[in-house]
Structures are given as structure tokens and as C-alpha cells.
Amino acid sequence: MPRAWRRGKPPISGWVQEQTEIVEDSLRKIPDTERLAAGIASLASITDPEQPYTRRPFTEFFQKGRQWLQGEMEAAGLKVRLDAAGNLVGWQAGRETLPPLMIGSHTDTVAGGGRFDGVIGIIGGVEVVRCFNEVGINLRHPLEGVEFLAEEPTDFGVSTVGSRGMVGALSPELLDKTNEQRPPLSEALTELGGCPEKVPNEVRQRGDIAAYLEMHIEQGPILDQEGIPLAAVTGIAGIRRFTVTIAGEPNHAGTTPMELRRDALVVASRFVIESELIFRSEEDSVGTVGYLQISPNMANVVPGLAELIVEMRSIDPGIIARIDERLRQKAAEIAEERGIPIRMDPLTDASPVQADPRLIEITTQACRQTDPRALVLPSGAGHDATQVGTIAPIGMIFVPSRSGISHNPAEWTDSEDIALGVQALARALVLADETF
Ligand code: GLV
Ligand code: MN
Ligand code: MN
């Protein structure tokens, strides 16, 4: 492949011109849109029938989905293995001995999730590998396609399990996390075929991954509103989560006078309302209490215990720190007022990550070669790229989410838009192959 063309410079000879046209012609043929759409539909059919399109990690549906994906990866020419952190890793050699270019995403979903979140990144990545082999594009770098384990929050409270493991951020404390229904995360990982003890041995170091690219649905409304199919991503918001435990006292709902109650749910409700006021008062950030468990959860018992998970997100770490501080102050005030302690324990804390400046340029160029109107956007959603970005240059490409809906079975992206995303990903890989 001619270097001059890849850098976007004018061709300098007839030979270069000819090669350029051959490669451009090949890239324009990527992907096979029907095969791509069929793959996404196949994976969507492997779901919890009670709750489409759910594939929670560590469940039979997740494992069946992975089996199917492994077949696709192998059909594309990748050599596939499960790493210690439970990631499904496919490898294809390059022309030179270099660290790999990595493409990846996830196939697990939230409960009641959609068909596209994560899925299009890994199926699209595999499609690129298959197309490269079909049209004879042979990169200098090896290619690694990774389906990361459990990107979404697990029942253990930990998210991005596999990508954390790959970069050395899956600490023993996180592996020890449990909940009432589940053994520790480490056991679930072992059952799945991973190896918690060996996770530290397999941690990738800076320099081990030449560059990481992930294509994903936007999960927000901008591309859909603008009617534009592609965006290059500038950075990914950080996410800080706390478990909030409110220990009141269970008591009889018929005989306990109102003034004597130590009702954990009432205090939790206060906390939720006050948190939302704080989130609304801050700019360039969002916050959510998305998890609430009460005990004993009976109609005739004053709730004795409430456990919440609160998260705050921003691309600016200073804003996350300020919200954190304001939430703690407010929790202390409510606890004092009600005489019921509110404990806030750190759960996870993923710092905001900037995309690598070279990869912002590459993904922008790749998107604009695919559609000249392509935008450049930050990501409000978290991704495996957040973790990989702590040790390697990362870049992302977005395609639209209809009406900005995601984490919902109504999540939708047109096949034609996903196909453009895959072509932009292919172009970005070709450019990154030259740059890194
Ligand atoms: C992942 O989807 C996240 O943003 O939480
Ligand atoms: Mn998600
Ligand atoms: Mn995702």
C-alpha cells in the first residue's frame, strides 16, 4: 500500500496511482452489508427469551452468543483463545513483527438491552478482518479482535471486567466482589474458563498494543438529529460509582408510630432526590441512581436497609470530583437530620480518557472519506476503550442511535449506517497501520 496515499498526499507516480486506486476500490467494497446485518440478527436471536435482547455476562445466553462469535472469528481467519481475564481474543499475523492493532467491543448487555450496543463493534471488527482477507489487504501489524468480558455493570457491581483485566485494573478487591445471590467475581470468571490468578501475568503493558479502535453506536441523539451517519470520537467520559448503604431499622408497619421509625427507604428517597438536584445544577455532566435494593422488601415491614448505586459522569475529572464532594456533604446532612447513617463506599472509578490525537485525526479522515459530513464528538457512554486507553492510544467511531435510545430493546441503528461505520473502521485501520 502506498505510503503517500495513506497520508492523504497526492500520488507521486503512475504505479502509486494504480495501487491507490486498487486499495480505494477494495475499501469501497467493505463490508458485505447483508452478511453484517445477518450476523447482528443472529446474535440478537441468542437472548434471554423472557427479556429480549438480554445477554447478561456469565449466563448461558452469553456463553452461547460467544460460541457463535468464536465461529465467526475463526471463519474470518482469526486464531481464537480465551485469555485469563475471560476475553475472547482473536489473532491474525501481520507482514511485520510489530505490536498488534486491536479492534474490540462487547457482546454482554444490560438487562433489557438492545441489539447493537457493543455487538456492532465486535461483529463489525470481524467483518473488517474477513473483508481484508477477501480483498487481499494485508497490514504490516498483526490484527487482534477482542470481545471483552462484561463491559456492562455485572451483578458484582464491577463493569468492564475483561478490559480492566487486560490493562491491570482488575484488582483483588474487585475480583472479591460478591452479592447476595452470587459467589465472588473470581469464581464466576473461573467457571467461564478464565483464570483469576493468571490475570496479572497477562497484563498488557504500554507499547504492547500499537493502537486500539472501537466502533460503537453513539447511544445519544446527535447523529440521528443531524441526519449524519458517522462521527470520530474525541474522548470518553469518566464514570465514578459509589455503593450507598443506609442502615435504618426494620419494624412493624402497623404498630410503629411515624416519629419512631428508622425508615431506610425514606432516607434513600431523600438521597435520590437531592442527588438529582446536584446533578442538574452541574454542567457537562450527568448522574444517576440506577440501582436500589431494600430489605426486607415487604408491604408490612418498615424498610430496614437500603442499598443504592450512584454514578456520576463527565469528560472533566474536576467536575466529577466536585459532584463527589457535594454528594458526600448532602449525604452527611440527610444522615444528621434523620439520625440514620449513610455510608458511601467507592465502587469503581474510571477516569475520563482522551482519544489519541493521531487517532482522532485518523478516525476523522476515515469517517470523512466514507461520508464527508462526518462529525467529531465526545462519548458520554463508557466503553472498553476507556480501560484500554490507560495503556494504549485509542480511537472510536460512532454510528447513529435512532432517537438517541440505548440500553433499551428499542435501540436501533440502520444496517446501512452500521455498514458505513465498518467501512470507516477499515479505513482507520489502514491509516493506523501506516502511522503507528
Ligand atoms: C456502558 O454502556 C455505560 O456507559 O455504562
Ligand atoms: Mn452499554
Ligand atoms: Mn457498549
Side-chain angles (χ1 to χ4, degrees), residues 106 117-118 151-152 216 219 383:
H106 61 100
D117 176 359
E151 191 270 349
E152 307 287 3
H216 205 280
Q219 306 184 275
H383 300 288

Side-chain angles (χ1 to χ4, degrees), residues 283-436:
E283 287 184 355
D284 299 326
S285 62
V286 288
T288 308
V289 177
Y291 176 93
L292 168 66
Q293 283 281 321
I294 59 166
S295 158
N297 210 11
M298 301 267 319
N300 62 350
V301 184
V302 174
L305 184 72
E307 195 178 69
L308 297 76
I309 298 178
V310 61
E311 63 156 54
M312 57 220 78
R313 303 186 182 213
S314 176
I315 201 88
D316 178 342
I319 296 179
I320 293 181
R322 188 168 62 231
I323 295 176
D324 176 329
E325 180 57 32
R326 290 182 65 190
L327 282 182
R328 284 169 187 283
Q329 267 174 16
K330 190 48 81 179
E333 268 172 49
I334 299 169
E336 164 97 21
E337 213 176 276
R338 289 281 178 161
I340 294 179
I342 303 181
R343 213 179 72 210
M344 285 179 68
D345 295 310
L347 181 55
T348 53
D349 186 14
S351 300
V353 168
Q354 298 304 318
D356 178 83
R358 292 160 297 178
L359 285 174
I360 295 177
E361 218 177 294
I362 283 172
T363 48
T364 304
Q365 191 178 332
C367 287
R368 294 205 170 138
Q369 281 168 350
T370 310
D371 186 307
R373 299 167 301 162
L375 300 181
V376 179
L377 295 175
S379 173
H383 300 288
D384 291 303
T386 305
Q387 297 299 332
V388 181
T390 61
I391 60 140
I394 60 137
M396 288 191 73
I397 291 168
F398 277 169
V399 293
S401 297
R402 189 164 70 193
S403 307
I405 291 172
S406 185
H407 286 180
N408 181 321
E411 189 177 86
W412 184 258
T413 304
D414 290 336
S415 302
E416 295 72 26
D417 289 344
I418 302 172
L420 291 174
V422 173
Q423 188 176 116
L425 179 64
R427 289 180 185 281
L429 280 166
V430 168
L431 292 165
D433 191 46
E434 182 60 30
T435 307
F436 290 89

